[in-house]
Amino acid sequence: LFSAGFDAHKDDPLAQLQLTSKDFYEITKRTINYTKNYSDGKVVSILEGGYDLNALANSAEQHVKALLEFAK
């Protein structure tokens, strides 16, 4: 279960973690690779938020890209 919030992005006004949109791709991919043996290939992702709309759109796109690669 992914709680997909993107307010850790460097352009988001609330967090100071300085992640990029590509970082969210890597986090998603690494998490899926680590857990796929335990989840029987089942993944749920729920969009939580982010407050910079461009960063949110780009980060969500990267997250979905990693999810789609997993689904192949």
Side-chain angles (χ1 to χ4, degrees), residues 48-59:
E48 273 210 34
Y51 301 93
D52 180 280
L53 294 182
N54 289 326
L56 174 60
N58 293 331
S59 298

Side-chain angles (χ1 to χ4, degrees), residues 32-53:
I32 288 172
N33 285 333
Y34 179 74
T35 63
K36 66 183 172 185
N37 293 329
Y38 307 104
S39 67
D40 195 30
K42 296 178 178 113
V43 174
V44 175
S45 180
I46 301 169
L47 179 62
E48 273 210 34
Y51 301 93
D52 180 280
L53 294 182

Side-chain angles (χ1 to χ4, degrees), residues 7 22 28 46 57:
D7 52 355
K22 184 69 173 176
T28 302
I46 301 169

